[in-house]
Amino acid sequence: MNAAFPKKILIVEDSKLNAQIAADILNKYGYKTEIITSGEETVKKVVNSVQSPDLILMDIELRGTIDGIDTARIIQHHKDIPILFLTANASKEIMEKIKSVSAYGYVLKGVDEYVLISQIEMAFKLYEAKIQIKKREELFHSMFESHDVVMLLIEPESGRIIDANKAACHFYGYSKETMLQMDIEAVVGVSTIDGGQKCSEALKKGCNPCICFQRLANGEERLVEVYSSPVDYQGKTLMHLIIFDITEQWKAKRELEFYKNLFEDSLNEIYIFHPQTLKFIAVNGGAKKNLGYTEEEFKEMTPVDLKPEFTLQSFKELLAPLSKGEQKQIIFNTVHRRKDGSLYPVEVHLELIEFGKEKVYAALVIDITERRTMEKELKERNEILSTIMESAGDAIIMIDDKGNVTFWNPAAERILGYSREEIIGKELHALMIQDERLYEVYRKAFKRFRLTGKGNTVGKTIELKARHKNGYEIDVELSLSAVKIKDAWHAIGIIRDISERKRLEELLYHQSITDPLTNIYNRRFFMQMLEQEIERVKRNKKLFSLIMFDLDHFKKVNDRFGHAAGDMVLKSVADTVKERIRKTDCFARWGGEEFIILLPETSLNNAVDLAEELRKQISRIELQGIGDVTASFGVTEYRDTDTIDTVLIRVDNMLYEAKGAGRNCVKSCKFDIEGG
């Protein structure tokens, strides 16, 4: 990101707390942010402003008369600004709403900051790609329209003409309006000049070049050379045709081109030599170039002069089966010697053909230097590949179209426990899948794979459980691909043992949601759970309650006994509360000596009873050398009109009311219970 010109992100979120958390993260990564709480204010701000934000990060559910989806629709009608949605859930209904406004995706509320930043950066990249595509299309259309070469854009399937430039309209003799009502069949001939296929079909598929006759508006036919290539234009894949009129050139050069292509310009060496004297009658340009001799020098030479391993006698013996009519062709490998004395390998095709009233020998000679080099490189690559596959840390497995294992590297043996001798030629899944129902599902899927090379996991990387030979399960990552060998589909799987990674992921996740001192949930995770609970209440109407408590005079403990003693008090209190609350309750350290509990489907009265019980239990904790510890409690119940902010503010007020009432007591919105 350019620090001198930071990108501006407009955050639209009716929860000021959530909005500020997002803004703090974005500011940390160098973005400039602004917060707006309603859709109406956002529309007014963006549509009427000269300088628009670079991106809008917007909650779907907003206060006011329009939600985030309607806000996005209004903005997109006026300006092209990337919009990334914030949502508490990724239901099918929410996804359909997001798709309806061509948004740049969504971010779940409360995700890790790195996920948020990654989504923001991806949205910017997608937007930039969209802008570049638009510019390329505008440039293409400008070049297309103004070029003096005949050009057409056609739809590949139907052959309908989508666009025609000025040169095309002039060449065919139709107006542009008429051209756009036609398809390619209306202007091309019946078949390509070689008669291989219909012109229209050849042009739809793409051929370079395609030579065919085309009809003009006046009925005249012209021979054209057409070059076609697919282009992505305005969201569609079209066929771009460039058309050259070669009628006159073709008439003049047809015979010359045929000879030139057949003989003179061949990249291979072609020789014609006398059946008795063996002297060369004609040699092509490829022979002259490869060997370095002039045409005059060739006239005094024979094939024996080029092939050091032959004598005149041995070469005539080689030709004998042709001269006697026993064979029509002889193919052999030898070496050719250039004029400078250097040698190179060749493959020679010899025939005896009729030339006028006599027979002559014709030799087609292919320089196989590159082939030999490729064969050597291929051999070396195969050796390298074999070494890599044998020494790879990941398991590499291949199964044939019957499901039997054909390749099993040492890493596969180490990860899955089966030796190569045990597994080669065996059906892999019969060994690995113990559940008969799952095995039957696999067999049905494999039948489809045998026919098409396709499957739900082909071309993807997935995580799954694999069974070791010894019976225990391991976490693995599987990358599966298909390859066709001799008309049969084979599967290649690369398996990586990710057991340690999964363990670390679980550990990191646990660390990301818990307080390291007390081993209870941290504030950030609690906020996610509270937001989810509010969404759940909106669906099932079963209310919840919150308890917030704070240790009384905790600073004196730290000042008098030290922070180690303070930490011990915090852990003891946390352990005491954890033993009493339900598994469905969410207990978190709110900050310092302050704690909070989310009680799903719990009334205010029951929450107050629990708070009083916890107050008493905390006051009875025995902490050697420190003395009694007490806590003040605030309790509240969720109301239909509440937001995250209002319910948290209310429970916090109750806590401070308890502190103001002398501490070591419980305060709620309806009544209080004094400490004993």
Short mmCIF file of all heavy atoms in Angstrom, two decimals, residues 416-458:
data_model
loop_
_atom_site.label_atom_id
_atom_site.label_comp_id
_atom_site.label_asym_id
_atom_site.label_seq_id
_atom_site.Cartn_x
_atom_site.Cartn_y
_atom_site.Cartn_z
N LEU A 416 1.17 -44.39 5.74
CA LEU A 416 0.01 -45.27 5.83
C LEU A 416 0.33 -46.67 6.35
O LEU A 416 -0.58 -47.44 6.65
CB LEU A 416 -0.67 -45.38 4.46
CG LEU A 416 -1.20 -44.04 3.92
CD1 LEU A 416 -1.67 -44.19 2.49
CD2 LEU A 416 -2.31 -43.51 4.79
N GLY A 417 1.63 -47.01 6.42
CA GLY A 417 2.01 -48.25 7.08
C GLY A 417 2.15 -49.47 6.20
O GLY A 417 2.74 -50.47 6.61
N TYR A 418 1.63 -49.43 4.96
CA TYR A 418 1.71 -50.58 4.07
C TYR A 418 3.00 -50.52 3.25
O TYR A 418 3.34 -49.48 2.70
CB TYR A 418 0.52 -50.62 3.11
CG TYR A 418 -0.81 -50.83 3.79
CD1 TYR A 418 -1.60 -49.74 4.16
CD2 TYR A 418 -1.28 -52.11 4.05
CE1 TYR A 418 -2.83 -49.93 4.78
CE2 TYR A 418 -2.51 -52.31 4.68
CZ TYR A 418 -3.28 -51.22 5.04
OH TYR A 418 -4.48 -51.40 5.65
N SER A 419 3.70 -51.65 3.15
CA SER A 419 4.90 -51.69 2.31
C SER A 419 4.49 -51.76 0.85
O SER A 419 3.33 -52.08 0.53
CB SER A 419 5.75 -52.92 2.67
OG SER A 419 5.06 -54.10 2.30
N ARG A 420 5.43 -51.48 -0.04
CA ARG A 420 5.14 -51.53 -1.47
C ARG A 420 4.72 -52.94 -1.89
O ARG A 420 3.81 -53.11 -2.70
CB ARG A 420 6.38 -51.10 -2.25
CG ARG A 420 6.14 -50.94 -3.74
CD ARG A 420 7.35 -50.41 -4.47
NE ARG A 420 7.83 -49.16 -3.89
CZ ARG A 420 8.73 -48.37 -4.46
NH1 ARG A 420 9.23 -48.70 -5.64
NH2 ARG A 420 9.12 -47.27 -3.87
N GLU A 421 5.36 -53.93 -1.32
CA GLU A 421 5.04 -55.31 -1.67
C GLU A 421 3.61 -55.67 -1.25
O GLU A 421 2.92 -56.45 -1.92
CB GLU A 421 6.02 -56.28 -1.00
CG GLU A 421 7.44 -56.20 -1.54
CD GLU A 421 8.18 -54.94 -1.12
OE1 GLU A 421 7.76 -54.31 -0.11
OE2 GLU A 421 9.16 -54.55 -1.80
N GLU A 422 3.15 -55.09 -0.14
CA GLU A 422 1.81 -55.39 0.36
C GLU A 422 0.72 -54.72 -0.47
O GLU A 422 -0.39 -55.23 -0.56
CB GLU A 422 1.66 -54.91 1.81
CG GLU A 422 2.46 -55.70 2.82
CD GLU A 422 2.33 -55.09 4.21
OE1 GLU A 422 2.70 -53.91 4.38
OE2 GLU A 422 1.85 -55.80 5.11
N ILE A 423 1.02 -53.60 -1.10
CA ILE A 423 -0.03 -52.76 -1.68
C ILE A 423 -0.09 -52.78 -3.20
O ILE A 423 -1.15 -52.62 -3.79
CB ILE A 423 0.12 -51.31 -1.18
CG1 ILE A 423 -1.20 -50.54 -1.26
CG2 ILE A 423 1.19 -50.57 -1.94
CD1 ILE A 423 -2.17 -50.89 -0.19
N ILE A 424 1.06 -52.93 -3.89
CA ILE A 424 1.06 -52.88 -5.36
C ILE A 424 0.16 -53.97 -5.92
O ILE A 424 0.26 -55.13 -5.55
CB ILE A 424 2.50 -53.02 -5.91
CG1 ILE A 424 3.34 -51.81 -5.56
CG2 ILE A 424 2.46 -53.19 -7.44
CD1 ILE A 424 2.89 -50.50 -6.18
N GLY A 425 -0.76 -53.56 -6.82
CA GLY A 425 -1.67 -54.50 -7.45
C GLY A 425 -2.93 -54.76 -6.65
O GLY A 425 -3.84 -55.43 -7.13
N LYS A 426 -3.00 -54.19 -5.43
CA LYS A 426 -4.19 -54.38 -4.58
C LYS A 426 -5.13 -53.19 -4.76
O LYS A 426 -4.72 -52.09 -5.12
CB LYS A 426 -3.78 -54.49 -3.11
CG LYS A 426 -2.77 -55.59 -2.83
CD LYS A 426 -3.40 -56.96 -2.91
CE LYS A 426 -2.37 -58.06 -2.61
NZ LYS A 426 -1.81 -57.93 -1.27
N GLU A 427 -6.41 -53.42 -4.45
CA GLU A 427 -7.38 -52.33 -4.50
C GLU A 427 -7.19 -51.48 -3.25
O GLU A 427 -7.43 -51.95 -2.13
CB GLU A 427 -8.80 -52.85 -4.59
CG GLU A 427 -9.80 -51.73 -4.79
CD GLU A 427 -11.25 -52.20 -4.75
OE1 GLU A 427 -11.47 -53.41 -4.65
OE2 GLU A 427 -12.13 -51.33 -4.81
N LEU A 428 -6.80 -50.23 -3.42
CA LEU A 428 -6.44 -49.36 -2.31
C LEU A 428 -7.61 -49.17 -1.34
O LEU A 428 -7.46 -49.33 -0.14
CB LEU A 428 -5.98 -48.00 -2.85
CG LEU A 428 -5.66 -46.94 -1.79
CD1 LEU A 428 -4.48 -47.37 -0.95
CD2 LEU A 428 -5.37 -45.60 -2.45
N HIS A 429 -8.78 -48.82 -1.86
CA HIS A 429 -9.88 -48.46 -0.98
C HIS A 429 -10.46 -49.65 -0.24
O HIS A 429 -11.07 -49.49 0.81
CB HIS A 429 -10.96 -47.73 -1.78
CG HIS A 429 -10.50 -46.40 -2.29
ND1 HIS A 429 -9.75 -46.27 -3.44
CD2 HIS A 429 -10.64 -45.15 -1.78
CE1 HIS A 429 -9.48 -44.99 -3.62
NE2 HIS A 429 -10.00 -44.30 -2.65
N ALA A 430 -10.27 -50.86 -0.76
CA ALA A 430 -10.72 -52.04 -0.04
C ALA A 430 -9.94 -52.19 1.26
O ALA A 430 -10.45 -52.72 2.26
CB ALA A 430 -10.56 -53.29 -0.91
N LEU A 431 -8.69 -51.73 1.26
CA LEU A 431 -7.86 -51.79 2.46
C LEU A 431 -8.12 -50.60 3.38
O LEU A 431 -8.09 -50.74 4.61
CB LEU A 431 -6.38 -51.82 2.08
CG LEU A 431 -5.89 -53.06 1.30
CD1 LEU A 431 -4.46 -52.84 0.86
CD2 LEU A 431 -6.01 -54.30 2.17
N MET A 432 -8.37 -49.43 2.79
CA MET A 432 -8.41 -48.20 3.57
C MET A 432 -9.80 -47.89 4.14
O MET A 432 -9.93 -47.21 5.14
CB MET A 432 -7.97 -47.01 2.71
CG MET A 432 -6.60 -47.20 2.06
SD MET A 432 -5.27 -47.25 3.24
CE MET A 432 -5.22 -45.54 3.74
N ILE A 433 -10.88 -48.38 3.46
CA ILE A 433 -12.23 -48.07 3.91
C ILE A 433 -12.83 -49.30 4.59
O ILE A 433 -13.08 -50.32 3.93
CB ILE A 433 -13.12 -47.62 2.73
CG1 ILE A 433 -12.51 -46.40 2.03
CG2 ILE A 433 -14.54 -47.31 3.20
CD1 ILE A 433 -13.27 -45.94 0.80
N GLN A 434 -13.07 -49.23 5.87
CA GLN A 434 -13.60 -50.35 6.63
C GLN A 434 -15.13 -50.36 6.62
O GLN A 434 -15.75 -51.42 6.70
CB GLN A 434 -13.09 -50.27 8.08
CG GLN A 434 -11.57 -50.20 8.19
CD GLN A 434 -10.88 -51.41 7.61
OE1 GLN A 434 -11.33 -52.53 7.81
NE2 GLN A 434 -9.80 -51.20 6.88
N ASP A 435 -15.75 -49.19 6.55
CA ASP A 435 -17.20 -49.07 6.58
C ASP A 435 -17.78 -49.50 5.23
O ASP A 435 -17.45 -48.93 4.19
CB ASP A 435 -17.59 -47.62 6.88
CG ASP A 435 -19.09 -47.45 7.11
OD1 ASP A 435 -19.86 -47.74 6.17
OD2 ASP A 435 -19.48 -47.03 8.22
N GLU A 436 -18.65 -50.52 5.23
CA GLU A 436 -19.20 -51.06 3.98
C GLU A 436 -20.04 -50.02 3.23
O GLU A 436 -20.03 -49.97 2.01
CB GLU A 436 -20.05 -52.30 4.27
CG GLU A 436 -19.23 -53.50 4.73
CD GLU A 436 -20.09 -54.73 4.89
OE1 GLU A 436 -21.29 -54.66 4.54
OE2 GLU A 436 -19.56 -55.75 5.36
N ARG A 437 -20.78 -49.20 3.97
CA ARG A 437 -21.62 -48.19 3.33
C ARG A 437 -20.77 -47.15 2.60
O ARG A 437 -21.04 -46.79 1.46
CB ARG A 437 -22.49 -47.51 4.38
CG ARG A 437 -23.48 -46.50 3.80
CD ARG A 437 -24.29 -45.86 4.92
NE ARG A 437 -23.42 -45.15 5.84
CZ ARG A 437 -22.97 -43.91 5.63
NH1 ARG A 437 -23.32 -43.26 4.52
NH2 ARG A 437 -22.20 -43.32 6.52
N LEU A 438 -19.71 -46.68 3.27
CA LEU A 438 -18.81 -45.71 2.64
C LEU A 438 -18.10 -46.33 1.44
O LEU A 438 -17.87 -45.67 0.43
CB LEU A 438 -17.79 -45.20 3.65
CG LEU A 438 -18.32 -44.29 4.75
CD1 LEU A 438 -17.21 -43.92 5.71
CD2 LEU A 438 -18.93 -43.03 4.15
N TYR A 439 -17.76 -47.63 1.56
CA TYR A 439 -17.08 -48.31 0.46
C TYR A 439 -17.99 -48.38 -0.76
O TYR A 439 -17.54 -48.20 -1.90
CB TYR A 439 -16.65 -49.70 0.89
CG TYR A 439 -15.93 -50.47 -0.20
CD1 TYR A 439 -14.63 -50.12 -0.57
CD2 TYR A 439 -16.56 -51.51 -0.88
CE1 TYR A 439 -13.97 -50.81 -1.58
CE2 TYR A 439 -15.91 -52.20 -1.88
CZ TYR A 439 -14.61 -51.84 -2.23
OH TYR A 439 -13.97 -52.51 -3.23
N GLU A 440 -19.28 -48.62 -0.56
CA GLU A 440 -20.22 -48.69 -1.67
C GLU A 440 -20.36 -47.32 -2.35
O GLU A 440 -20.45 -47.23 -3.58
CB GLU A 440 -21.58 -49.18 -1.17
CG GLU A 440 -22.59 -49.41 -2.28
CD GLU A 440 -22.12 -50.43 -3.32
OE1 GLU A 440 -21.36 -51.35 -2.95
OE2 GLU A 440 -22.50 -50.28 -4.50
N VAL A 441 -20.37 -46.24 -1.55
CA VAL A 441 -20.41 -44.89 -2.10
C VAL A 441 -19.18 -44.64 -2.96
O VAL A 441 -19.26 -44.07 -4.05
CB VAL A 441 -20.50 -43.84 -0.97
CG1 VAL A 441 -20.32 -42.42 -1.53
CG2 VAL A 441 -21.83 -43.95 -0.24
N TYR A 442 -18.02 -45.06 -2.46
CA TYR A 442 -16.78 -44.90 -3.22
C TYR A 442 -16.85 -45.65 -4.54
O TYR A 442 -16.46 -45.13 -5.60
CB TYR A 442 -15.58 -45.39 -2.40
CG TYR A 442 -14.43 -45.83 -3.27
CD1 TYR A 442 -13.63 -44.89 -3.93
CD2 TYR A 442 -14.17 -47.18 -3.49
CE1 TYR A 442 -12.60 -45.28 -4.76
CE2 TYR A 442 -13.14 -47.58 -4.32
CZ TYR A 442 -12.36 -46.63 -4.95
OH TYR A 442 -11.36 -47.03 -5.78
N ARG A 443 -17.35 -46.89 -4.54
CA ARG A 443 -17.39 -47.69 -5.76
C ARG A 443 -18.25 -47.01 -6.84
O ARG A 443 -17.89 -47.00 -8.01
CB ARG A 443 -17.96 -49.08 -5.47
CG ARG A 443 -17.07 -49.95 -4.61
CD ARG A 443 -15.72 -50.20 -5.24
NE ARG A 443 -15.81 -50.81 -6.55
CZ ARG A 443 -14.79 -50.93 -7.39
NH1 ARG A 443 -13.59 -50.46 -7.05
NH2 ARG A 443 -14.94 -51.50 -8.56
N LYS A 444 -19.38 -46.41 -6.42
CA LYS A 444 -20.24 -45.72 -7.39
C LYS A 444 -19.52 -44.51 -7.98
O LYS A 444 -19.61 -44.24 -9.17
CB LYS A 444 -21.54 -45.29 -6.71
CG LYS A 444 -22.45 -46.46 -6.38
CD LYS A 444 -23.73 -45.97 -5.70
CE LYS A 444 -24.66 -47.15 -5.38
NZ LYS A 444 -25.89 -46.70 -4.69
N ALA A 445 -18.81 -43.76 -7.11
CA ALA A 445 -18.08 -42.59 -7.58
C ALA A 445 -16.95 -42.99 -8.52
O ALA A 445 -16.66 -42.31 -9.50
CB ALA A 445 -17.52 -41.81 -6.39
N PHE A 446 -16.31 -44.14 -8.22
CA PHE A 446 -15.17 -44.57 -9.05
C PHE A 446 -15.63 -45.01 -10.43
O PHE A 446 -14.91 -44.86 -11.42
CB PHE A 446 -14.42 -45.70 -8.35
CG PHE A 446 -13.08 -46.00 -8.98
CD1 PHE A 446 -12.01 -45.14 -8.75
CD2 PHE A 446 -12.90 -47.08 -9.82
CE1 PHE A 446 -10.78 -45.39 -9.34
CE2 PHE A 446 -11.68 -47.33 -10.40
CZ PHE A 446 -10.60 -46.48 -10.16
N LYS A 447 -16.85 -45.54 -10.53
CA LYS A 447 -17.38 -45.91 -11.85
C LYS A 447 -17.48 -44.69 -12.75
O LYS A 447 -17.15 -44.74 -13.94
CB LYS A 447 -18.76 -46.56 -11.69
CG LYS A 447 -18.72 -47.97 -11.14
CD LYS A 447 -20.12 -48.55 -11.02
CE LYS A 447 -20.08 -49.97 -10.45
NZ LYS A 447 -21.44 -50.53 -10.29
N ARG A 448 -17.93 -43.57 -12.18
CA ARG A 448 -18.00 -42.33 -12.94
C ARG A 448 -16.61 -41.86 -13.34
O ARG A 448 -16.38 -41.41 -14.46
CB ARG A 448 -18.70 -41.26 -12.10
CG ARG A 448 -18.83 -39.93 -12.83
CD ARG A 448 -19.24 -38.83 -11.89
NE ARG A 448 -19.19 -37.54 -12.56
CZ ARG A 448 -19.06 -36.39 -11.94
NH1 ARG A 448 -18.95 -36.34 -10.62
NH2 ARG A 448 -19.02 -35.26 -12.61
N PHE A 449 -15.65 -41.98 -12.41
CA PHE A 449 -14.29 -41.56 -12.70
C PHE A 449 -13.70 -42.37 -13.86
O PHE A 449 -13.02 -41.83 -14.73
CB PHE A 449 -13.42 -41.72 -11.45
CG PHE A 449 -11.95 -41.46 -11.69
CD1 PHE A 449 -11.46 -40.16 -11.74
CD2 PHE A 449 -11.07 -42.51 -11.90
CE1 PHE A 449 -10.13 -39.91 -11.98
CE2 PHE A 449 -9.72 -42.27 -12.15
CZ PHE A 449 -9.27 -40.97 -12.18
N ARG A 450 -13.95 -43.66 -13.89
CA ARG A 450 -13.42 -44.52 -14.96
C ARG A 450 -13.89 -44.06 -16.33
O ARG A 450 -13.15 -44.16 -17.31
CB ARG A 450 -13.85 -45.97 -14.74
CG ARG A 450 -13.17 -46.66 -13.58
CD ARG A 450 -13.62 -48.10 -13.47
NE ARG A 450 -13.26 -48.86 -14.67
CZ ARG A 450 -13.57 -50.14 -14.88
NH1 ARG A 450 -14.26 -50.79 -13.97
NH2 ARG A 450 -13.20 -50.76 -15.98
N LEU A 451 -15.13 -43.57 -16.40
CA LEU A 451 -15.69 -43.16 -17.69
C LEU A 451 -15.28 -41.77 -18.11
O LEU A 451 -15.07 -41.50 -19.29
CB LEU A 451 -17.23 -43.24 -17.61
CG LEU A 451 -17.82 -44.64 -17.43
CD1 LEU A 451 -19.32 -44.55 -17.21
CD2 LEU A 451 -17.50 -45.53 -18.63
N THR A 452 -15.18 -40.84 -17.13
CA THR A 452 -15.00 -39.42 -17.47
C THR A 452 -13.72 -38.78 -16.95
O THR A 452 -13.33 -37.71 -17.40
CB THR A 452 -16.18 -38.61 -16.91
OG1 THR A 452 -16.15 -38.67 -15.47
CG2 THR A 452 -17.51 -39.17 -17.40
N GLY A 453 -13.07 -39.43 -15.97
CA GLY A 453 -11.91 -38.80 -15.34
C GLY A 453 -12.30 -37.67 -14.41
O GLY A 453 -11.45 -36.89 -13.97
N LYS A 454 -13.60 -37.59 -14.08
CA LYS A 454 -14.08 -36.51 -13.23
C LYS A 454 -14.63 -37.07 -11.92
O LYS A 454 -15.02 -38.23 -11.84
CB LYS A 454 -15.18 -35.70 -13.94
CG LYS A 454 -14.71 -35.00 -15.20
CD LYS A 454 -15.85 -34.24 -15.86
CE LYS A 454 -15.37 -33.54 -17.13
NZ LYS A 454 -16.47 -32.81 -17.81
N GLY A 455 -14.65 -36.21 -10.91
CA GLY A 455 -15.16 -36.60 -9.61
C GLY A 455 -15.23 -35.39 -8.71
O GLY A 455 -14.66 -34.33 -9.01
N ASN A 456 -15.92 -35.53 -7.59
CA ASN A 456 -16.09 -34.40 -6.67
C ASN A 456 -14.78 -33.89 -6.11
O ASN A 456 -14.66 -32.72 -5.75
CB ASN A 456 -17.03 -34.79 -5.53
CG ASN A 456 -18.45 -35.04 -6.02
OD1 ASN A 456 -18.85 -34.49 -7.04
ND2 ASN A 456 -19.20 -35.86 -5.32
N THR A 457 -13.77 -34.77 -5.99
CA THR A 457 -12.50 -34.37 -5.38
C THR A 457 -11.36 -34.23 -6.38
O THR A 457 -10.27 -33.82 -6.00
CB THR A 457 -12.09 -35.38 -4.29
OG1 THR A 457 -12.00 -36.69 -4.88
CG2 THR A 457 -13.11 -35.41 -3.16
N VAL A 458 -11.61 -34.57 -7.65
CA VAL A 458 -10.55 -34.49 -8.66
C VAL A 458 -10.21 -33.03 -8.92
O VAL A 458 -11.09 -32.19 -9.12
CB VAL A 458 -10.98 -35.18 -9.97
CG1 VAL A 458 -9.92 -34.96 -11.05
CG2 VAL A 458 -11.20 -36.66 -9.74
#
